[in-house]
Amino acid sequence: MPLTPLRRVNLAHDISAQLSQAIVAGDFPAGAVLSEPMLAKRLGVSRAPVREALIELETRGMVEFDERGRSRVPSLTHDDLVDILGIRIALEPRAAGLAARRADPLAFVDLERNLDAMRAAQTPTELARLDTAFHSGVVRASGSRRLHLCWNVVEHQVDLWLTQMQSRVDALCHQLRDTTVAAHAAMFETIRSGDTLRSENLARKHLTDWLDVLPGAPVV
Amino acid sequence: MPLTPLRRVNLAHDISAQLSQAIVAGDFPAGAVLSEPMLAKRLGVSRAPVREALIELETRGMVEFDERGRSRVPSLTHDDLVDILGIRIALEPRAAGLAARRADPLAFVDLERNLDAMRAAQTPTELARLDTAFHSGVVRASGSRRLHLCWNVVEHQVDLWLTQMQSRVDALCHQLRDTTVAAHAAMFETIRSGDTLRSENLARKHLTDWLDVLPGAPVV
DNA sequence: CTCCGGTCGACTGTCGACAATACCGCGGTG
DNA sequence: CACCGCGGTATTGTCGACAGTCGACCGGAG
């Protein structure tokens, strides 16, 4: 037995993850101030780890600090989404290419499991979460720590945008589901086959396709 | 008069900048442990802002946390440099293209000033600093906050690598100086002219050229 | 000599407290 | 009635302190 994973606790890290999830889930509306005492009280911890979590979230674009040091939930516009996708179009082909070159079997089981989960998913929320998770898996499979750091900056931004625009995009998500699953499956196969160039191109096309769909969607 | 910039002080931010500079300057060798009490004592502050600065630096890849929470200066290998340049090749063409599209005159004066400084620079260290600063300027000129967050991850990595490999690269830097200045000048003109596509291509070529030079350089 | 247990010191993670600052509403004043 | 000054309140930035944990070192047993 491999015993226990053994890991020193770090409240800040847990808080960061939990807060990020809460923000994406829409628990805090766009523009809401996340005051440290309020969060500390709700989480049952002191302000120190909360502060550290907020700093980490700021570097990931999940909160913004105003000129007085208060952290707020950023409110994303359509332009923000285009900006985010532009960055992802720059980063993710690289990640897919590296993943294809490394061909880590361990990462493949994660990706395959994600595909299965996505095929079985029902709610748009679950679908969006799995979609992001798949792309995270590709970045992780690239094996580049720095690429992963960059990815952190955009990882949950699309999810956050979806939450803030929720009224309109549920139907869109559902409609795109089969397309997305098919695109992910194709990416998975290509990465596993080790075809670097084709992996890059598929990743790019998957994202640009999405970008092309958006202007037609009823957004603002 | 635009009055004062007015900005609440934040020791953590200053510490982050100072520490980053010190690491790049080689004050802490690769693998060195940056203990919080030691830094706090040297800086004359308490541990709290030091911790916050370290967290920020970790998201920028300037320090790494080991399994026990200690922060260390990462030691970069040749593969790391290739990885970093790969990310920059993905990000910077996008930044240059956006900068060309925005055409912010304010950013142009910064870039032009950098060009002048670079033409006058003497030491390789100064040259490397200005080179990084130019690329930072392009990213800033892109106007994308998230792109800037991603850029933070790689901003000083090449400088750090140069420091850790210092013995060999001084001559290389000097030799590449004119090439670099010429490439930057060309990028500047193209961005200012608003030619998006050409800006992207120049940025990409500038970086891939550099990548091509490296394998021949006497590096480990 | 080698190996083991115990002790010491250092460091991290977390907490509560304090000063400084900015917002908000109220009362007084012209 | 409009405006200005003022105290109360909430929040941030910073500090010192404490518990838990880990490595280093030392002494003794086999």
Side-chain angles (χ1 to χ4, degrees):
Chain A
M1 184 151 61
L3 292 175
T4 85
L6 116 102
R7 174 85 161 289
R8 196 146 173 175
V9 285
N10 190 333
L11 273 185
H13 210 273
D14 296 346
I15 294 172
S16 167
Q18 196 170 340
L19 250 182
S20 178
Q21 197 173 340
I23 292 172
V24 168
D27 292 2
F28 301 97
V33 174
L34 301 174
S35 92
E36 296 166 7
M38 180 266 290
L39 295 176
K41 189 175 234 176
R42 283 204 203 179
L43 293 164
V45 297
S46 79
R47 276 178 52 216
V50 171
R51 274 182 72 84
E52 297 174 3
L54 287 174
I55 289 173
E56 186 182 336
L57 289 181
E58 196 262 343
T59 67
R60 303 190 181 193
M62 293 299 294
V63 306
E64 287 177 356
F65 287 161
D66 61 20
E67 68 285 347
R68 272 183 52 197
R70 293 177 303 193
S71 47
R72 299 170 172 277
V73 177
S75 65
L76 303 183
T77 67
H78 184 272
D79 286 347
D80 285 318
L81 182 66
V82 173
D83 183 43
I84 292 159
L85 286 178
I87 296 172
R88 290 183 57 170
I89 289 170
L91 288 178
E92 294 196 49
R94 169 82 181 156
L98 285 177
R101 192 168 309 171
R102 289 179 61 91
D104 177 15
L106 215 70
F108 290 156
V109 299
D110 273 359
L111 291 179
E112 199 154 24
R113 194 149 33 200
N114 179 288
L115 278 175
D116 291 340
M118 204 165 191
R119 290 194 182 96
Q122 297 299 335
T123 73
T125 305
E126 184 72 1
L127 216 56
R129 199 186 65 74
L130 286 169
D131 178 80
T132 300
F134 180 86
H135 290 257
S136 290
V138 173
V139 173
R140 218 173 303 121
S142 76
S144 166
R145 194 175 56 82
R146 292 174 197 82
L147 199 49
H148 197 279
L149 288 176
C150 288
W151 166 252
N152 284 337
V153 174
V154 285
E155 179 175 12
H156 293 117
Q157 299 276 312
V158 172
D159 294 337
L160 180 56
W161 182 85
L162 285 174
T163 300
Q164 296 185 357
M165 296 288 164
Q166 199 165 24
S167 50
R168 304 303 182 84
V169 290
D170 277 8
L172 178 66
C173 271
H174 226 94
Q175 167 195 337
L176 283 180
R177 181 188 133 152
D178 294 341
T179 316
T180 303
V181 170
H184 284 193
M187 283 176 61
F188 173 67
E189 287 303 333
T190 314
I191 289 175
R192 188 164 61 178
S193 78
D195 190 335
T196 304
L197 194 61
R198 195 172 159 75
S199 296
E200 292 178 4
N201 289 334
L202 275 184
R204 183 159 29 235
K205 184 162 177 5
H206 175 45
L207 288 165
T208 50
D209 279 353
W210 198 9
L211 191 58
D212 288 341
V213 170
L214 280 177
V219 175
V220 179
Chain B
M1 181 154 63
L3 292 175
T4 85
L6 114 100
R7 173 86 163 286
R8 195 146 173 177
V9 286
N10 189 333
L11 273 186
H13 211 274
D14 296 346
I15 294 172
S16 168
Q18 195 169 339
L19 210 57
S20 178
Q21 197 174 339
I23 291 173
V24 168
D27 292 2
F28 302 97
V33 174
L34 302 175
S35 91
E36 296 165 7
M38 180 267 291
L39 295 176
K41 189 176 235 176
R42 283 204 203 179
L43 293 164
V45 298
S46 79
R47 277 178 52 216
V50 172
R51 274 182 72 84
E52 296 174 3
L54 287 174
I55 289 174
E56 186 181 336
L57 289 182
E58 195 263 342
T59 68
R60 302 190 181 193
M62 294 297 293
V63 306
E64 288 176 357
F65 287 161
D66 62 18
E67 67 286 345
R68 273 182 53 196
R70 292 176 303 194
S71 46
R72 298 169 171 279
V73 177
S75 65
L76 303 184
T77 67
H78 184 271
D79 287 348
D80 286 318
L81 181 67
V82 173
D83 183 43
I84 292 158
L85 286 178
I87 295 171
R88 290 183 56 170
I89 289 170
L91 288 178
E92 295 196 48
R94 168 82 182 159
L98 285 177
R101 191 169 308 171
R102 290 179 61 93
D104 176 15
L106 214 71
F108 290 156
V109 299
D110 273 358
L111 291 179
E112 200 155 24
R113 192 148 34 198
N114 179 288
L115 279 175
D116 291 339
M118 204 165 190
R119 290 196 183 94
Q122 297 299 334
T123 73
T125 306
E126 183 73 0
L127 215 58
R129 202 187 62 76
L130 287 169
D131 178 80
T132 300
F134 180 86
H135 291 258
S136 291
V138 173
V139 173
R140 220 172 302 120
S142 76
S144 166
R145 194 176 55 83
R146 292 174 197 84
L147 199 49
H148 197 279
L149 288 177
C150 287
W151 165 252
N152 284 337
V153 174
V154 285
E155 180 175 12
H156 293 117
Q157 299 277 310
V158 172
D159 294 337
L160 180 56
W161 183 85
L162 286 174
T163 300
Q164 296 185 355
M165 296 287 164
Q166 200 164 22
S167 50
R168 305 302 184 86
V169 291
D170 277 8
L172 178 66
C173 272
H174 225 94
Q175 166 195 337
L176 283 180
R177 181 189 132 152
D178 295 340
T179 317
T180 302
V181 171
H184 284 193
M187 282 176 61
F188 172 67
E189 286 304 333
T190 313
I191 289 175
R192 189 165 59 179
S193 78
D195 189 335
T196 304
L197 194 59
R198 195 170 159 75
S199 296
E200 291 178 4
N201 289 333
L202 276 184
R204 184 159 27 234
K205 185 163 179 357
H206 174 45
L207 288 166
T208 51
D209 278 352
W210 197 9
L211 190 58
D212 288 342
V213 169
L214 280 177
V219 174
V220 180

